[in-house]
């Protein structure tokens, strides 16, 4: 029996899962690490913390499962996209990684747009210059920390740093690299034109692979730390959302998923390049050869609920600890008791600024309509509805591009909530199906590892053989109609406040 391992380097922690050939998880372990915010709107993590977490979780899943290390056919890597990892010529980390939700690089984005041209940038990279993407972070370090930039010999993405630590190979793959603003997306290769315009040396970037291709093997040194067998193949893997697409079977045109994690994403597969002219949603290479994706990304979906939990839900957290259950079960149960509209209270979930579809790093969270009659329970309901409205706003953009599907898969921590899935179904006005596994990204890259090492013949074939669906939650026309005026007001409130967010940012 052959086994496969998927490793997902997320924002809150690294998750490692060991699967059998049938896609069944045999052992899983997560290790958390901190996020640093040295200034308002900044977000950084220490890459060494990622590596420590991966070492510990790899060791633990091998111990938990009891499978021989030699039976592991391959390893796939997934991770948060866009993070900037800078190494010197010895392979040592030069500074903390500036990660995906960092908003400090607005000026650098303006420079990129000016140098390349807005239209040409969209044509080549499929996306505008965004503060979350990697290219502007490279320029920020070059302008603000020139002594660090001068020492930089290698630029990697978060999961690719873990690849380097496992294999000593500098490599990336097309799905994750698509989010750097440095790739020719239609051509699936680095863009010499962009690199020349931005004066970034091509030698700093890793070699590009397709997601299923073997990029290297586990070194004896990494094997000794993790318990893996030296020589175990490591495939390209995928950015977290492209990996989740594979893990939920969204690998063919007409398939889509929503994930509610720290961020919120709607992700649809397409067999041709589709680019939204204003850049309201992203166009990336898919983890499937010859495929592309259009996807939205809101920055604080589950992150908004986590913020509310951390600041206002101490009673539920304490009770959940005593009951040994997830506190979100109790928290969401409270929201279920509040009718649609939360007593005429709206929440704008822009705690980290916003990407899709607003492209506004100055946007901030808002409770609108708060009055003396509202309770903590009403505020919680408003937070959940705001998260869902932000996804509905993105879905409207995708539908306007001609993206079609007959149902929506749901994954991520938020998908475990039947209430949230029903809210999505009612707002999307389409069936929402929970993925058969909540191991989405880890399972996706394990499947890619299986394809790359010959366990499966192709990505679609692997998905058809190892994935199955749960029962769909159907939309209710009456609830859809009840949500719609609040959704329209949600959009209107942002429009009215857009200028004020800019003013606030300058104070």
């Amino acid at each position: 029996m052959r086994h496969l391992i998927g490793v997902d380097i997320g924002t809150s922690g690294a998750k490692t899962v060991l699967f059998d050939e049938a896609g069944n998880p045999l052992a899983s372990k997560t290790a958390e690490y901190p996020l640093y915010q040295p200034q308002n709107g900044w977000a950084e993590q220490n890459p060494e913390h990622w590596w420590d977490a991966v070492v510990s979780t790899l060791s633990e899943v091998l111990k938990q499962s009891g499978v021989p290390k030699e039976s592991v056919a391959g390893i796939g890597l997934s991770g948060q996209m866009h993070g900037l990892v800078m190494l010197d010529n010895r392979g040592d980390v030069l500074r903390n990684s500036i990660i995906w939700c960092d908003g400090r690089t607005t000026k650098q984005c303006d420079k990129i747009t000016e140098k390349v041209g807005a239209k040409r940038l969209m044509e080549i990279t499929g996306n505008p210059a965004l503060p979350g993407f990697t290219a502007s972070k490279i320029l920020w370090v070059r302008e603000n920390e020139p002594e660090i930039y001068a020492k930089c010999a290698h630029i990697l993405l978060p999961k690719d740093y873990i690849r380097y630590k496992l294999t000593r190979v500098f490599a990336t793959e097309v799905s994750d690299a698509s989010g750097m603003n440095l790739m020719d997306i239609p051509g699936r290769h680095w863009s010499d034109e962009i690199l020349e315009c931005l004066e970034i040396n091509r030698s700093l970037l890793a070699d590009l692979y397709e997601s299923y291709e073997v990029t290297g093997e586990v070194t004896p040194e990494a094997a000794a730390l993790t318990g893996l067998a030296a020589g175990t193949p490591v495939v390209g893997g995928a950015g977290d959302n492209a990996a989740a697409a594979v893990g939920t079977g969204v690998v063919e045109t007409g398939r889509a998923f929503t994930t509610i994690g720290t961020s919120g994403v709607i992700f649809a597969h397409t067999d041709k390049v589709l680019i939204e002219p204003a850049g309201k949603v992203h166009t990336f290479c898919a983890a499937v050869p010859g495929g592309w994706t259009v996807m939205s990304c809101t920055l604080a979906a589950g992150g908004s609920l986590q913020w509310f939990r951390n600041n206002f839900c101490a009673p539920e957290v304490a009770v959940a600890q005593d009951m040994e259950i997830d506190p979100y079960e109790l928290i969401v149960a409270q929201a279920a008791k509040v009718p649609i509209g939360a007593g005429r209270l709206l929440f704008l979930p822009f705690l980290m600024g916003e990407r899709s579809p607003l492209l506004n790093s100055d946007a901030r969270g808002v409770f609108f309509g708060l009055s003396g009659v509202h309770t903590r329970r009403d505020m919680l309901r408003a937070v959940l509805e705001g998260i869902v409205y932000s996804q509905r706003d993105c879905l409207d953009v995708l539908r306007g591009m001609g993206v079609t599907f007959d149902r929506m898969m749901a994954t991520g921590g938020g998908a475990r909530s039947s209430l949230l899935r029903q809210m999505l179904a009612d707002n999307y006005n389409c069936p929402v199906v929970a993925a058969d596994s909540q191991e989405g990204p880890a399972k996706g890259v394990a499947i890619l590892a299986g394809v790359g090492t010959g366990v499966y013949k192709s990505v679609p074939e692997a998905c058809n053989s190892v994935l199955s669906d749960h029962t769909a939650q159907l939309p209710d026309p009456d609830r859809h109609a009840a949500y719609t005026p609040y959704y329209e007001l949600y959009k209107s409130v942002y429009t009215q406040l857009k200028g004020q967010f800019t003013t606030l940012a300058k104070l």
Side-chain angles (χ1 to χ4, degrees):
M1 170 67 76
R2 293 170 294 184
H3 298 89
L4 300 163
I5 290 178
V7 181
D8 179 31
I9 299 92
T11 308
S12 58
K15 183 175 187 177
T16 297
V17 188
L18 186 143
F19 300 89
D20 63 19
E21 286 184 52
N24 300 308
L26 304 181
S28 175
K29 183 67 176 178
T30 299
E32 296 184 350
Y33 33 69
L35 181 149
Y36 304 107
Q37 293 187 276
Q39 294 189 36
N40 184 31
W42 292 22
E44 299 184 354
Q45 288 183 320
N46 184 342
E48 291 293 345
H49 291 166
W50 302 334
W51 174 237
D52 291 342
V54 170
V55 167
S56 66
T57 56
L58 279 169
S59 301
E60 186 61 30
V61 297
L62 289 169
K63 291 177 184 176
Q64 284 181 15
S65 65
V67 304
K69 60 185 178 182
E70 293 79 11
S71 74
V72 178
I75 300 169
L77 301 174
S78 170
Q80 51 174 293
M81 296 178 69
H82 316 306
L84 172 64
V85 181
M86 307 183 82
L87 307 181
D88 63 19
N89 56 15
R90 297 175 301 178
D92 294 331
V93 175
L94 285 167
R95 72 175 322 282
N96 278 350
S97 172
I98 305 174
I99 67 169
W100 61 276
C101 53
D102 187 283
R104 77 183 72 178
T105 62
T106 302
K107 292 181 180 179
Q108 287 72 32
C109 289
D110 292 342
K111 290 181 181 179
I112 291 171
T113 304
E114 181 182 351
K115 286 188 174 185
V116 180
K119 183 173 182 292
R120 186 60 180 151
L121 187 65
M122 290 295 300
E123 291 172 347
I124 297 173
T125 74
N127 298 280
L130 297 174
F133 283 17
T134 317
S136 61
K137 296 168 185 172
I138 297 172
L139 270 57
W140 186 92
V141 173
R142 187 167 71 191
E143 293 171 11
N144 293 275
E145 299 173 347
E147 70 287 353
I148 288 177
Y149 190 82
K151 296 177 183 177
C152 182
H154 302 282
I155 289 171
L156 296 174
L157 296 165
K159 80 173 193 316
D160 301 321
Y161 175 69
I162 300 304
R163 183 195 324 280
Y164 167 70
K165 296 291 283 186
L166 285 170
T167 67
R168 291 293 159 176
V169 171
F170 297 107
T172 189
E173 49 69 46
V174 293
S175 75
D176 208 359
S178 294
M180 295 180 73
N181 266 150
L182 298 175
M183 260 190 74
D184 180 325
I185 300 301
R188 303 174 84 90
H189 56 74
W190 295 121
S191 169
D192 290 335
E193 181 178 339
I194 298 291
L195 294 173
E196 182 178 350
C197 281
L198 303 185
E199 301 177 67
I200 297 173
N201 194 317
R202 166 66 181 81
S203 66
L204 295 175
L205 303 179
D207 291 335
L208 268 173
Y209 291 79
E210 289 291 339
S211 299
Y212 72 91
E213 291 183 299
V214 174
T215 59
E217 298 178 344
V218 174
T219 65
E221 294 79 10
L225 289 171
T226 60
L228 294 164
T232 303
V234 179
V235 301
D240 51 3
N241 292 299
V246 177
T248 54
V250 180
V251 295
E252 297 172 306
T253 297
R255 301 284 185 90
F257 76 81
T258 295
T259 183
I260 304 294
T262 303
S263 61
V265 168
I266 302 177
F267 186 109
H269 186 92
T270 174
D271 58 5
K272 59 183 179 180
V273 182
L274 295 175
I275 297 175
E276 204 285 319
K280 293 179 180 179
V281 295
H282 309 315
T283 299
F284 294 147
C285 297
V288 183
W292 286 265
T293 64
V294 286
M295 61 169 280
S296 63
C297 181
T298 60
L299 298 182
S304 292
L305 186 57
Q306 183 184 50
W307 165 80
F308 195 86
R309 179 203 68 179
N310 292 345
N311 289 282
F312 305 106
C313 296
E316 287 83 0
V317 171
V319 171
Q321 186 173 6
D322 290 339
M323 297 175 64
E324 297 184 348
I325 62 173
D326 187 335
Y328 287 117
E329 292 184 31
L330 301 179
I331 292 169
V332 172
Q334 295 294 312
K337 299 175 182 178
V338 179
I340 290 172
R344 298 190 179 94
L345 179 63
L346 292 174
F347 176 71
L348 277 58
F350 310 144
L351 301 183
M352 299 294 295
E354 192 54 286
R355 191 182 298 178
S356 303
L358 308 179
L359 303 179
N360 187 350
S361 60
D362 290 337
R364 288 295 179 265
V366 174
F367 278 107
F368 178 77
L370 192 64
S371 73
V373 303
H374 289 118
T375 66
R376 183 172 63 101
R377 185 182 292 174
D378 298 317
M379 295 173 73
L380 173 57
R381 175 77 190 202
V383 168
L384 289 180
E385 291 185 357
I387 292 168
V388 172
Y389 295 151
S390 70
Q391 305 314 302
R392 182 173 173 177
D393 202 8
C394 295
L395 187 62
D396 284 351
V397 175
L398 294 178
R399 284 173 166 158
M401 296 171 65
V403 175
T404 60
F405 46 87
D406 58 6
R407 61 178 186 168
M408 179 71 69
M409 300 294 296
T411 186
R416 291 196 291 268
S417 165
S418 61
L419 172 64
L420 192 54
R421 292 198 307 272
Q422 189 62 55
M423 291 172 69
L424 290 171
D426 293 337
N427 275 274
Y428 291 176
N429 206 23
C430 78
V432 171
V433 183
D436 72 329
S437 164
Q438 294 306 315
E439 313 290 359
K443 190 165 191 174
V445 291
I447 290 172
L448 292 171
V451 175
T453 57
V455 176
Y456 314 119
K457 291 183 179 179
S458 70
V459 177
E461 181 184 280
C463 290
N464 288 333
S465 66
V466 306
L467 300 177
S468 59
D469 293 342
H470 290 171
T471 303
Q473 291 183 238
L474 302 178
D476 181 280
D478 292 336
R479 287 196 295 265
H480 179 76
Y483 279 116
T484 296
Y486 290 103
Y487 168 61
E488 295 298 337
L489 182 58
Y490 162 91
K491 293 191 294 181
S492 176
V493 169
Y494 168 73
T495 300
Q496 296 296 320
L497 289 179
K498 183 177 178 180
Q500 313 312 317
F501 287 137
T502 302
T503 301
L504 180 65
K506 294 177 180 179
L507 293 180

